[in-house]
Amino acid sequence: MRILMTQRDLTYVGGTEMVTVELAKELAERGHEVAVYTPRTGRIANIMISSGVWVRDRLADIPWVPDIIHGQHHLQTMAALAKFKETPAVYYCHGVLPWVERPPVHPRIGRYLMMCEWLAPRTTPEYGLPPERVAVLPNFVSLTRFTQVRTPPARPRRAALFGGWLNQEEVHKLEAACAKASLKLDKIGYNHDNPLERPEIFLKDYDVVFAIGRCALEALACGCAVIPLMPGQAGELITSATFDQYAFSNFSPRYFVTANQISDDWLLEQMARYQPEEVLAVTSLVRERHSLQGAVDRLLQFYSEAVATAVPAAEGEPSSEFAPYLETVGREADVMWAELEAMRGQLKEKSREVRSLKQALKRSEKAKEKVEAEFKTLKLRHDLMGQTLREHWMGRWLLGRVHRLLRHAPVEAEEKRCLEPASAPVVATPS
């Protein structure tokens, strides 16, 4: 089968990026011809190229007409559908925010695959997707990458915040809570200026990992204890009893379910539930139910169904399949245009403020240079005056010394003369 995958960006390692990389590699290694279209390509494309996957930033450069379009990110998916006018598609939805993730509505998309169960119920009321075309393909982890399972210690010592979604205040709270629980915390991710890109290597060094989504799955697959965190919501330690609950929402806490916040007491409570055997039980569930290999087996079934049920376009009739999508985009574009114009006005105002601040900075720098020059002059004068004063006081001291010597000199001379013995009389000798 010839498969075209779409992806909005391949310049750095992220969740959807690694989904594309691992699916493309696995499909190619099973003998399928795979190409990836992305407007922004980068060095991680090399991971796929080594498996024979074509990576192109223009649809015109795709070397063949695909049998199926595996869509991710709606603009790139719709571009591929417009280019290959008779090819059916499936759309893999990773989330509903930001807007680039939202599923597009198009008659040639035979299946909408949701990353987790939590996404599925909202697709019909929010996007009007037919329920019979919506299915769930849970997030997965590559067992050929994450081959090693660590032995959890009796008492956890090292922890990692894997991912950069918390704000600074929450990070500080987590650091304080970890210190209280005797956990040494490392922060891993682009937002922490520590973008380690080989989790299959570094995760085995951590006993507890704070993560959500794919990061959480990878940590669980390695034998780490995982506590999901997201802004404003602190989850609970994932156990075999809570595994299905967290798998339902892609291993993320859900809003309006609990009111847990990051705190010392919250983390101490989670650590009290820690049991090495439970950690290994959860790891077994992940490796059994959420493997890349199992996900690709199901994905190929969805591909086959979409190809088998595709309705070819009638020849000679103008296509109207893009009209509903363009209507939606038109409404959204108007809103985004208004937001963009407002931001442009704010940007102009901020630019004026920046120019004013730069001018004030230049004035202050000039004033600083003037003050520094005056300070140097005053310091020089101070040093010269200090030297003059020292010389003046030394001169005065010397003059006083000479004066005292001169004043006491005649008295001392007279006293000395008086103390000398009288001279013997001179006796004349006969001639």
Side-chain angles (χ1 to χ4, degrees):
M1 182 179 289
R2 290 177 170 176
I3 305 164
L4 172 62
M5 301 183 70
T6 67
Q7 168 69 34
R8 63 180 291 269
D9 197 310
L10 280 176
T11 57
Y12 67 97
V13 175
T16 61
E17 289 79 6
M18 289 310 299
V19 165
T20 299
V21 168
E22 292 184 347
L23 285 178
K25 281 174 59 65
E26 179 69 18
L27 289 166
E29 289 167 5
R30 293 192 185 194
H32 300 280
E33 292 185 78
V34 184
V36 176
Y37 160 64
T38 177
R40 289 172 291 278
T41 187
R43 60 184 177 80
I44 65 171
N46 296 333
I47 305 174
M48 294 180 285
I49 292 172
S50 63
S51 297
V53 177
W54 292 72
V55 182
R56 295 292 183 268
D57 59 6
R58 296 178 68 250
L59 286 166
D61 295 333
I62 302 299
W64 28 253
V65 175
D67 299 313
I68 189 74
I69 295 170
H70 175 113
Q72 295 179 143
H73 304 111
H74 73 251
L75 288 177
Q76 288 70 36
T77 301
M78 294 304 287
L81 285 166
K83 171 65 177 176
F84 301 104
K85 298 181 181 179
E86 296 184 359
T87 303
V90 300
Y91 185 83
Y92 198 13
C93 183
H94 299 265
V96 293
L97 292 174
W99 68 272
V100 295
E101 301 275 8
R102 294 190 337 203
V105 179
H106 192 278
R108 271 191 284 137
I109 299 177
R111 281 285 190 173
Y112 292 89
L113 309 178
M114 301 295 122
M115 180 65 76
C116 63
E117 294 279 355
W118 179 77
L119 289 172
R122 63 187 297 175
T123 54
T124 297
E126 190 165 353
Y127 303 111
L129 301 181
E132 65 274 11
R133 288 164 65 185
V134 177
V136 177
L137 184 65
N139 208 344
F140 52 81
V141 61
S142 172
L143 300 185
T144 57
R145 280 181 66 204
F146 295 85
T147 55
Q148 296 184 355
V149 176
R150 66 197 302 274
T151 301
R155 181 179 178 184
R157 300 285 186 182
R158 297 193 64 190
L161 173 59
F162 185 21
W165 59 93
L166 297 182
N167 60 46
Q168 284 302 309
E169 181 182 355
E170 290 171 322
V171 170
H172 293 327
K173 288 182 179 179
L174 182 60
E175 289 173 332
C178 285
K180 189 78 171 179
S182 300
L183 289 171
K184 181 183 181 298
L185 179 68
D186 292 335
K187 298 181 286 294
I188 301 169
Y190 288 95
N191 287 5
H192 308 300
D193 296 322
N194 188 27
L196 303 181
E197 296 180 352
R198 298 292 301 276
E200 66 272 23
I201 294 176
F202 67 75
L203 280 175
K204 59 184 176 59
D205 296 328
Y206 295 99
D207 307 319
V208 179
V209 176
F210 302 98
I212 59 173
R214 187 176 185 82
C215 294
L217 263 178
E218 292 174 345
L220 290 170
C222 290
C224 305
V226 171
I227 302 175
L229 292 179
M230 62 189 300
Q233 191 82 17
E236 298 178 350
L237 181 72
I238 298 178
T239 64
S240 54
T242 61
F243 182 83
D244 290 338
Q245 167 192 336
Y246 276 105
F248 180 85
S249 57
N250 194 21
F251 301 94
S252 298
R254 285 181 291 153
Y255 289 114
F256 310 112
V257 176
T258 67
N260 285 341
Q261 302 290 305
I262 298 173
S263 68
D264 296 353
D265 292 340
W266 158 80
L267 185 54
L268 290 172
E269 181 182 350
Q270 305 315 309
M271 289 297 93
R273 299 174 183 173
Y274 174 90
Q275 296 178 0
E277 57 274 16
E278 264 298 304
V279 175
L280 290 177
V282 174
T283 295
S284 296
L285 288 173
V286 168
R287 299 180 75 86
E288 177 185 346
R289 302 182 189 177
H290 292 267
S291 71
L292 166 65
Q293 292 71 24
V296 171
D297 289 342
R298 292 195 63 200
L299 190 59
L300 287 170
Q301 294 176 4
F302 291 129
Y303 289 167
S304 298
E305 290 175 6
V307 171
T309 58
V311 179
E315 293 186 9
E317 293 185 6
S319 174
S320 61
E321 60 186 11
F322 288 95
Y325 174 73
L326 292 175
E327 288 175 357
T328 302
V329 171
R331 287 192 296 270
E332 293 178 346
D334 284 341
V335 174
M336 288 186 287
W337 178 82
E339 293 175 350
L340 180 61
E341 288 299 303
M343 285 188 286
R344 282 176 177 166
Q346 295 172 3
L347 180 61
K348 287 181 180 178
E349 181 63 29
K350 295 298 181 183
S351 297
R352 285 193 292 268
E353 291 179 10
V354 169
R355 284 196 299 270
S356 177
L357 289 171
K358 284 182 176 179
Q359 292 171 356
L361 180 60
K362 285 182 179 179
R363 290 193 298 269
S364 65
E365 287 176 347
K366 289 181 179 179
K368 178 185 174 184
E369 291 174 358
K370 182 179 178 182
V371 169
E372 287 177 345
E374 291 177 351
F375 174 78
K376 289 179 180 178
T377 301
L378 289 172
K379 188 175 184 306
L380 180 60
R381 291 178 62 186
H382 172 271
D383 294 343
L384 290 173
M385 185 169 290
Q387 180 65 28
T388 301
L389 285 172
R390 284 193 295 273
E391 293 174 354
H392 170 74
W393 286 110
M394 181 59 73
R396 289 193 59 178
W397 181 79
L398 289 173
L399 286 173
R401 178 75 181 221
V402 170
H403 176 71
R404 285 193 299 272
L405 289 174
L406 292 175
R407 186 176 62 186
H408 296 294
V411 176
E412 292 175 356
E414 180 63 25
E415 289 176 350
K416 183 178 181 182
R417 186 183 63 82
C418 293
L419 293 173
E420 290 179 353
S423 301
V426 180
V427 178
T429 57
S431 55

